[in-house]
Amino acid sequence: MRLHRITLRDVRGVSQRTVLLPDSGVVVVEGPNEVGKSTLLEAFDRLLDLKATSRSAKAQALQPIGRDVGPFVEAEFTIGGTRVRLAKQWLRSPRTELEILGERPEQLAGSAAQARLEQLVAHLDTTLWDALRLAQSDDGTLVPLMSSGVLQQALDAAADAHLHDGDGEQVLGMVEDEYLRYFTGRTGRPTGDYRGAIEAYHAASTEVAEAHRRLVEAEDLLERQQQAREAVGRAVEQVAGREGDLRGAQQEADAVAEVVARHEKAADRCDRARSAAESARQAHARRLEQVEGLTRLDEAVVALEQQLADLADRGGSSRSRVTTAQEELSTAEAAVEEAEDLLERARETREVADRRVERARCHRELAGLEQVVTVLDQQLRVVLRERESGPRAPVTETQRREVDRLERDVELLRARHEAASAAVQVEAWADGVSVGALEGSGDGPVGLRAGQVRELAATDDLEVLVPGAARVVVRSPAAAARREELDRACAALARLLEELGCASVDEVATRADATAQAADRLRESERDLTSLLAAQGVPAALQREALATARVPAALQDRLRVCRERAAALAAPAPGPGGDASTGPEGQQADGPATGGREATEEQARRAAATAAEAERAAGRRVRQAREARREAAVAAASARDEAAALTAALDRLHGRLASERTRLEHERQLLERERVEQADGVLLDLARDHAEALAAAQGELRLAEEAVRAADVPSLAARVQTAQAALASARDDLGRTRELLHGLTGQVELAASEGRQELYALAESALDDAERRLAVLDRRARAVRHLRGTLREHRESAHRAYVRPFTDALERLGRQVYGPTFAVTVDEQLSVRARTLDGLTVPFEELSGGAKEQLGILARIAVAHLVDPAHGVPVVIDDALGYSDPRRLEQMGRVFSFARGTSGEDVQVILLTCTPDRYAAIPDAHTVRLAAS
């Protein structure tokens, strides 16, 4: 396949672009990033593999962002020896157009064009097309190529294997078809009739096992039925025995029932006697408690009366202490007021001294700020002067490098042009002969005298004029493209010089040096200014503002203004407590001039402030002492008042408690007298004795009844009755369960007898024999074809191993032009590079550097292109590679690209996509296509 032309319209970021590609040789498609270089080949892929009606994600990815248009791609290429023009538009008004160019032209559209395209694409070796492309994100690894038919044919010829000629491949195909009748191609598992026979055999085996299981199950049912009949007989006998045991235990229980009734009556009489005796005892105890409580109340009332008398005496002395404490508190408060007045006068004196200190400090700060502003203003004038001293038309280092690059391009193109141009030597045999460029291009004609020889390079069309004899024109059609490229480079250099206003490259260098020196001086002055601003605490944003405006920052000017205002305010006299100017201890004005009419120095002001502060601290200590004395007096007065209040409250509580206890005592005395009238103390005592004697008699009768119950062993007899009842219930449950089990087993036996399980088992064994015989036949055939296929594939793989040598030789020939004569590679049977050997050192491919991997990947792709017939091959596409290669390797790789010829001697089509064309400057005769932003 060869690409001739690709046209894009509204594809991603490309509005309209057509790229023409030469049929063979190296073409460098250059342009800046995101100009759409990789999009060209990706759009061509979509042209081949996407229908115009597709709305898949791949088709959506072609549409430009923010534009509701249909992407359109058109390409002219040769595939399978047929040159075609193919155009498709997706998403909006989808269409497909196919034109066959050649002796039998065709014009197709729609589904017919798509069907014809699929026939043509069948001739494309997709494995080779994918393998000979190196994308931006690839590391150079070459995908396995053993599935490429075109490459296999080329390797067959190179290795003299010829496995793909004659009947060899047909036999392999027939064996493969026969193998696929029995096994799957991917996993080698049985399939088709063979798999069906295996499944039928397993199913028959399962049926035999199931029939045998059901037969054994029927025999087990008969045995379990007989066991169930025997279990029912044993359960009936057990129920009869349990019923006899229960009747005997109940007869013995009826015999001791009278003894138990007498015990219950005795226990009831004992409980009633105990209740009556307890009630009488409690009534007598309550009477005794009432008498004791009345005695205790009498004693408590007497004690409260004594406490009340004691508290009344203590209250008189407490009131006298309260009066004394109040007098001491008044004296302490007067002392505090006097000390606070003294402290206030000392504080006013200190404030006056502090004001003098602040005024001296403010004058010193103002002088420093004025000096800083003066220095900053001088430095700003220096910055302005350096800015104005630069050249009027500056030339940046980037512009200088661009001019140097264009000059190098011109020199390189001119050298290439001259080296590739023929040399013309003219010898004049007579006077009047002239030689020079045709039609005034280049230098003018030069006259030669007889015998003079002149040699010129045919970089332009040359004219040799012999007046009256001959006119010889030496044309160079092959140099036209080189001249055009050289003219474009010269024009680009001239345009850039004109934009910069320079007459020559040397003038550009001179002005660039002057611009750099002026910039260095300006940076130095701006750095000094920034250091001064930073020393004054000016933020970075205000520093940049000062550099931009060449003015002192407003914040620094505001500080100077505020400092001046504060100095003026401190110079004014401070008002005293009454609104007039206050005076110091010596009678002078506090903020006025010092002695002698001169301003007081900062040191004198500090000493005066220290003296005033010491006086203030002494007054403060006196205030604290007076306040401490007042606090102690207040505490003493509060303590005396609290004690008096506590005594008063205690007296009130004692009065209330005494009245309450007296009322309670009177109430309890009246209640006791009423109860004694109803029932005397002796009567209660007699009742308690009588009920105690009756209780003793009832307890004796209860002991006799308990002895009779113990002799009859009533608990043991009751336990025997309960045990017999539980045993009878359990026996009856067992009888029910065994009868139910017998009924169920009888039904299952009758059902199994009706199924004919013995006959079913015999039929299943017969079916298993048939399936086993059929499987044996198919298994012999399957094993035979698998063995034959394995043998043939082993021989074919042995022949494939012979492919490695031609590919390795081609790759090493190319690699030695880059790495030298010690270069060698290790290639596996899938034609993948596994290691590189250089100077006797072998390094695995995965451990090579990114640049080495990339170089090996390019060499491998060109080696494949060397082996494949260009008529059936595909272009080699390298997308923005060799970014990690040094200049020497770039030059060596350029020579490799120049030898991209196939086995037939015809040039391979190599397409290089790059944003850095200097990488491929060493490739001779490379065609360049420049892309600009659309």
Side-chain angles (χ1 to χ4, degrees):
M1 183 178 69
R2 295 296 177 96
L3 300 179
H4 309 299
R5 176 176 59 84
I6 300 177
T7 298
L8 306 183
R9 185 169 65 242
D10 299 325
V11 176
R12 291 186 178 170
V14 179
S15 300
Q16 175 75 36
R17 173 173 293 124
T18 298
V19 177
L20 300 176
L21 302 172
D23 295 348
S24 61
V26 181
V27 56
V28 180
V29 181
E30 64 174 67
N33 288 329
E34 300 183 0
V35 77
K37 301 183 295 297
S38 302
T39 304
L40 285 172
L41 275 301
E42 185 176 349
F44 180 73
D45 288 338
R46 301 293 84 80
L47 191 66
L48 297 181
D49 60 22
L50 284 185
K51 293 183 178 181
T53 56
S54 174
R55 304 189 67 84
S56 63
K58 291 182 178 180
Q60 300 286 346
L62 295 177
Q63 188 174 27
I65 297 176
R67 296 173 58 200
D68 189 13
V69 294
F72 174 82
V73 179
E74 181 182 15
E76 186 174 336
F77 55 97
T78 299
I79 183 170
T82 303
R83 184 158 179 159
V84 300
R85 182 189 65 82
L86 176 63
K88 287 184 181 180
Q89 180 165 315
W90 294 272
L91 304 179
R92 297 290 181 272
S93 303
R95 58 193 173 99
T96 303
E97 297 176 357
L98 178 65
E99 183 180 0
I100 307 297
L101 307 173
E103 297 179 356
R104 293 184 177 182
E106 298 179 45
Q107 292 82 30
L108 303 172
S111 58
Q114 182 64 33
R116 185 73 172 93
L117 173 63
E118 292 173 358
Q119 295 176 0
L120 294 171
V121 173
H123 297 285
L124 177 63
D125 191 333
T126 56
T127 300
L128 195 62
W129 172 239
D130 294 336
L132 296 193
R133 296 169 64 177
L134 179 62
Q136 291 181 356
S137 58
D138 291 348
D139 63 353
T141 305
L142 188 66
V143 299
L145 284 166
M146 287 311 298
S147 60
S148 171
V150 174
L151 181 59
Q152 285 183 355
Q153 293 176 9
L155 293 173
D156 280 343
D160 199 18
H162 301 291
L163 282 180
H164 297 84
D165 294 335
D167 298 332
E169 194 64 31
Q170 183 178 0
V171 172
L172 287 173
M174 293 171 63
V175 172
E176 186 70 19
D177 293 340
E178 185 67 18
Y179 174 80
L180 293 177
R181 289 181 55 194
Y182 300 100
F183 300 99
T184 60
R186 187 173 183 180
T187 60
R189 295 179 179 177
T191 186
D193 294 339
Y194 184 37
R195 179 180 178 183
I198 294 174
E199 292 175 350
Y201 173 75
H202 289 308
S205 299
T206 304
E207 289 293 333
V208 169
E210 179 64 18
H212 183 266
R213 185 193 64 78
R214 291 170 64 83
L215 185 61
V216 172
E217 182 182 25
E219 294 174 353
D220 183 62
L221 286 174
L222 290 173
E223 183 179 355
R224 290 171 59 195
Q225 184 187 32
Q226 182 61 32
Q227 293 174 355
R229 286 195 183 99
E230 295 174 357
V232 168
R234 290 193 298 271
V236 170
E237 293 175 358
Q238 188 176 15
V239 168
R242 296 290 187 272
E243 289 177 347
D245 294 341
L246 178 60
R247 283 194 298 271
Q250 286 178 342
Q251 289 174 1
E252 293 179 3
D254 293 340
V256 298
E258 184 177 355
V259 175
V260 173
R262 287 197 300 270
H263 175 268
E264 291 177 353
K265 290 179 181 179
D268 183 57
R269 286 195 299 270
C270 183
D271 290 338
R272 288 196 298 270
R274 185 180 292 108
S275 298
E278 182 64 20
S279 298
R281 186 191 64 76
Q282 290 178 356
H284 182 259
R286 281 197 301 273
R287 178 62 56 83
L288 294 177
E289 288 178 358
Q290 285 179 331
V291 173
E292 292 176 358
L294 192 61
T295 302
R296 286 195 298 272
L297 281 175
D298 283 334
E299 294 174 353
V301 168
V302 173
L304 287 174
E305 290 175 348
Q306 182 61 38
Q307 290 178 9
L308 185 63
D310 294 341
L311 284 176
D313 294 339
R314 289 172 56 190
S317 62
S318 176
R319 283 191 292 274
S320 63
R321 285 198 300 274
V322 168
T323 302
T324 303
Q326 289 288 355
E327 294 174 354
E328 293 176 354
L329 179 61
S330 298
T331 303
E333 287 178 348
V336 168
E337 291 179 358
E338 181 181 356
E340 286 177 347
D341 290 341
L342 181 60
L343 176 62
E344 184 64 25
R345 289 193 298 273
R347 186 176 290 115
E348 290 176 358
T349 302
R350 182 187 59 78
E351 288 177 356
V352 171
D354 289 343
R355 186 178 180 86
R356 290 177 179 172
V357 172
E358 179 65 20
R359 182 171 58 194
R361 186 183 298 112
C362 184
H363 282 298
R364 178 170 51 80
E365 182 181 356
L366 178 60
L369 281 175
E370 288 176 344
Q371 182 180 0
V372 168
V373 170
T374 301
V375 173
L376 284 176
D377 188 59
Q378 294 174 355
Q379 188 62 35
L380 284 170
R381 285 195 293 272
V382 171
V383 170
L384 287 175
R385 185 170 62 252
E386 293 299 336
R387 286 179 180 173
E388 294 173 355
S389 65
R392 287 188 296 275
V395 176
T396 65
E397 187 62 25
T398 301
Q399 292 171 332
R400 177 180 181 174
R401 287 196 296 269
E402 180 65 16
V403 170
D404 292 341
R405 186 187 67 80
L406 290 176
E407 184 185 20
R408 286 196 302 272
D409 291 347
V410 169
E411 292 175 354
L412 179 61
L413 291 173
R414 182 176 289 114
R416 289 180 181 174
H417 185 36
E418 292 175 354
S421 300
V424 178
Q425 186 178 33
V426 179
E427 182 179 358
W429 290 357
D431 293 339
V433 176
S434 64
V435 59
L438 186 63
E439 298 176 356
S441 60
D443 298 332
V446 177
L448 300 180
R449 296 185 303 274
Q452 186 176 0
V453 179
R454 184 175 180 83
E455 184 174 340
L456 298 175
T459 56
D460 297 300
D461 293 344
L462 296 179
E463 180 185 44
V464 180
L465 183 61
V466 182
R471 177 176 178 265
V472 180
V473 177
V474 181
R475 298 189 181 277
S476 302
R482 295 194 300 272
R483 282 201 306 272
E484 182 181 354
E485 188 175 8
L486 177 60
D487 292 341
R488 286 198 300 270
C490 292
L493 178 60
R495 282 196 303 271
L496 183 57
L497 290 174
E498 184 179 0
E499 291 174 1
L500 297 177
C502 296
S504 64
V505 176
D506 294 337
E507 184 178 352
V508 171
T510 302
R511 284 173 53 185
D513 293 339
T515 302
Q517 292 173 3
D520 291 340
R521 292 194 301 272
L522 178 60
R523 280 194 298 270
E524 186 66 27
S525 60
E526 289 179 346
R527 191 181 301 112
D528 295 340
L529 178 61
T530 303
S531 301
L532 289 173
L533 292 172
Q536 296 302 314
V538 178
L542 295 181
Q543 293 176 19
R544 291 192 293 271
E545 180 182 353
L547 288 173
T549 59
R551 296 177 59 188
V552 177
L556 203 57
Q557 295 178 353
D558 292 342
R559 284 173 54 188
L560 179 60
R561 176 180 53 78
V562 170
C563 188
R564 285 172 176 168
E565 293 176 354
R566 190 167 71 252
L570 291 172
D580 299 330
S582 60
T583 57
E586 292 82 7
Q588 294 178 342
Q589 223 175 17
D591 288 334
T595 305
R598 293 176 301 169
E599 190 72 22
T601 63
E602 185 174 354
E603 183 60 30
Q604 292 172 346
R606 285 201 181 107
R607 287 197 297 270
T611 302
E614 180 61 29
E616 181 184 9
R617 285 192 292 272
R621 286 193 297 271
R622 183 172 179 182
V623 168
R624 286 192 296 274
Q625 292 171 358
R627 288 176 178 172
E628 181 64 22
R630 181 182 64 181
R631 186 187 64 77
E632 292 175 356
V635 169
S639 177
R641 285 194 296 270
D642 292 342
E643 183 181 358
L647 288 173
T648 303
L651 284 171
D652 293 340
R653 286 195 300 274
L654 279 175
H655 279 297
R657 184 178 175 187
L658 181 59
S660 175
E661 292 297 324
R662 285 173 178 171
T663 303
R664 181 182 171 192
L665 175 63
E666 184 63 26
H667 174 72
E668 292 293 333
R669 185 179 288 114
Q670 293 176 1
L671 179 60
L672 180 59
E673 290 176 355
R674 286 196 301 269
E675 289 182 355
R676 282 177 174 172
V677 171
E678 294 176 357
Q679 202 168 21
D681 296 345
V683 174
L684 290 177
L685 181 60
D686 293 339
L687 287 175
R689 290 173 181 171
D690 294 341
H691 286 295
E693 293 175 356
L695 175 61
Q699 288 176 343
E701 294 179 359
L702 179 60
R703 282 193 295 272
L704 294 175
E706 288 177 348
E707 291 176 357
V709 170
R710 282 194 295 272
D713 196 10
V714 175
S716 176
L717 184 59
R720 286 176 56 194
V721 172
Q722 291 178 356
T723 302
Q725 290 174 345
L728 178 59
S730 176
R732 285 173 177 172
D733 292 340
D734 293 341
L735 177 60
R737 285 193 297 270
T738 54
R739 283 175 175 171
E740 183 178 356
L741 176 61
L742 177 61
H743 292 323
L745 290 173
T746 301
Q748 293 178 16
V749 169
E750 293 174 354
L751 178 61
S754 64
E755 291 178 349
R757 296 188 178 186
Q758 183 65 46
E759 292 79 1
L760 292 176
Y761 178 64
L763 292 174
E765 283 187 326
S766 177
L768 176 61
D769 292 338
D770 293 341
E772 187 173 4
R773 284 192 297 273
R774 182 169 179 268
L775 176 60
V777 174
L778 291 175
D779 185 61
R780 283 194 300 273
R781 294 177 182 175
R783 291 176 184 273
V785 73
R786 182 167 60 184
H787 178 69
L788 177 59
R789 176 178 179 266
T791 302
L792 292 177
R793 288 173 69 90
E794 182 179 355
H795 285 290
R796 185 176 66 175
E797 289 172 0
S798 176
H800 280 174
R801 284 192 288 273
Y803 294 168
V804 174
R805 187 69 263 162
F807 175 70
T808 303
D809 291 342
L811 180 54
E812 289 181 347
R813 278 197 306 271
L814 293 172
R816 285 170 186 145
Q817 298 181 32
V818 178
Y819 297 99
T822 63
F823 172 80
V825 291
T826 302
V827 179
D828 62 12
E829 296 178 3
Q830 297 298 318
L831 302 185
S832 295
V833 179
R834 292 304 178 192
R836 185 202 69 181
T837 301
L838 194 62
D839 296 329
L841 179 63
T842 300
V843 180
F845 182 84
E846 294 76 10
E847 298 180 11
L848 292 172
S849 65
K853 288 181 180 179
E854 197 173 49
Q855 293 158 16
L856 275 180
I858 294 174
L859 293 174
R861 286 163 173 82
I862 296 178
V864 172
H866 279 191
L867 295 171
V868 174
D869 184 359
H872 300 93
V874 296
V876 178
V877 181
I878 309 297
D879 190 356
D880 210 5
L882 299 180
Y884 302 101
S885 300
D886 56 67
R888 179 171 171 272
R889 288 284 168 81
L890 286 175
E891 183 178 356
Q892 294 165 338
M893 290 297 294
R895 290 201 300 270
V896 171
F897 281 120
S898 66
F899 291 107
R901 293 181 179 274
T903 56
S904 63
E906 183 181 353
D907 283 355
V908 177
Q909 187 180 32
V910 180
I911 302 174
L912 305 177
L913 308 176
T914 182
C915 61
T916 312
D918 290 344
R919 297 177 188 170
Y920 307 112
I923 303 175
D925 298 328
H927 184 79
T928 302
V929 176
R930 292 184 174 85
L931 303 183
S934 60

